């Protein structure tokens, strides 16, 4: 499940979802948090059920090195964004800028994993971040920035996880017919 990326997509999707729910209070937020947790658990259980144990397999050394370089750069940029935005007194910009960085990091990963479909969440996360910046630039409330960035990012990652599991389930169904 983690080799195929579904576990990571599900958990990071939950993180973005929790950001989105921070725009709400009380019972509404509690219901949304529970729903997000249910989606995450559901995706992980579906991955366990439908993905073969070998899904994703071990990385060759050159791919693992490239993957680590891409992720290392991504995390470095995230730390820089957090520090600069916090010091500039604009922490509301952190999620939007992080969404853009995370989206862009999927582009080289698409090549590393030979998965061109990773360009879809790449584009959607960049759109999520740009949308959050647009809300901020038009003097929208911080809660709306978090809601837009978090919801679009979560749905993008969860959608990719569903796509991965559905593809595996479809392939398994085809194999049974053949």
């Amino acid at each position: 499940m983690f080799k195929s990326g579904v576990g990571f997509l599900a958990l990071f999707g939950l993180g973005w979802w929790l950001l989105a729910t921070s725009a709400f209070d009380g019972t509404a937020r509690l219901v949304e948090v529970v729903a997000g947790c249910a989606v995450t658990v559901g995706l992980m259980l579906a991955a366990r059920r439908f993905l073969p144990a070998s899904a994703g397999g071990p990385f060759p050394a050159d791919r693992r090195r490239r993957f680590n370089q891409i992720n290392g750069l991504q995390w470095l940029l995230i730390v820089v964004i957090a520090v600069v935005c916090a010091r500039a007194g604009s922490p509301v910009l952190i999620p939007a800028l992080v969404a853009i960085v995370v989206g862009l990091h999927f582009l080289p990963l698409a090549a590393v994993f030979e998965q061109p479909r990773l360009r879809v969440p790449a584009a959607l996360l960049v759109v999520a971040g740009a949308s959050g910046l647009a809300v901020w630039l038009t003097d929208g409330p911080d809660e709306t920035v978090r809601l837009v960035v978090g919801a679009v990012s979560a749905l993008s990652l969860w959608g990719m996880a569903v796509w991965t599991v559905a593809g595996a389930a479809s392939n398994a169904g085809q194999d049974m017919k053949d």
Side-chain angles (χ1 to χ4, degrees):
M1 149 175 49
F2 280 92
K3 288 181 186 177
S4 67
V6 171
F8 294 108
L9 293 166
L11 290 172
F12 279 107
L14 177 61
W16 285 110
W17 185 256
L18 294 175
L19 172 72
T21 67
S22 71
F24 301 97
D25 292 321
T27 305
R29 183 168 191 204
L30 177 61
V31 169
E32 291 162 359
V33 167
V34 169
C37 290
V39 168
T40 300
V41 169
L43 286 168
M44 294 175 96
L45 290 174
R48 187 171 183 190
R49 165 91 166 82
F50 293 110
L51 295 175
S54 63
F59 292 137
D62 60 329
R63 280 190 184 187
R64 189 172 338 116
R65 184 175 44 259
R66 186 72 179 125
F67 170 79
N68 289 336
Q69 290 169 342
I70 293 164
N71 276 329
L73 178 59
Q74 172 197 233
W75 286 107
L76 176 64
L77 290 172
I78 288 171
V79 168
V80 168
I81 287 167
V83 169
V84 169
C85 288
R87 288 192 177 162
S90 298
V92 67
L93 296 178
I94 295 171
L97 296 173
V98 167
I100 291 169
V101 167
V102 172
L104 292 174
H105 111 288
F106 275 108
L107 295 174
L109 288 182
V112 169
F113 294 130
E114 298 174 351
Q115 292 290 328
R117 66 188 180 152
L118 287 175
R119 294 179 190 138
V120 173
L124 293 172
L125 285 161
V126 169
V127 166
S131 298
L133 290 175
V135 170
W136 178 76
L137 286 169
T138 58
D139 293 325
D142 292 0
E143 295 81 14
T144 305
V145 173
R146 292 193 310 270
L147 176 63
V148 168
V149 174
V152 174
S153 297
L155 295 173
S156 299
L157 295 177
W158 286 341
M160 187 67 203
V162 168
W163 190 4
T164 302
V165 172
S170 176
N171 289 341
Q174 285 297 101
D175 291 344
M176 295 178 97
K177 290 180 182 179
D178 293 337

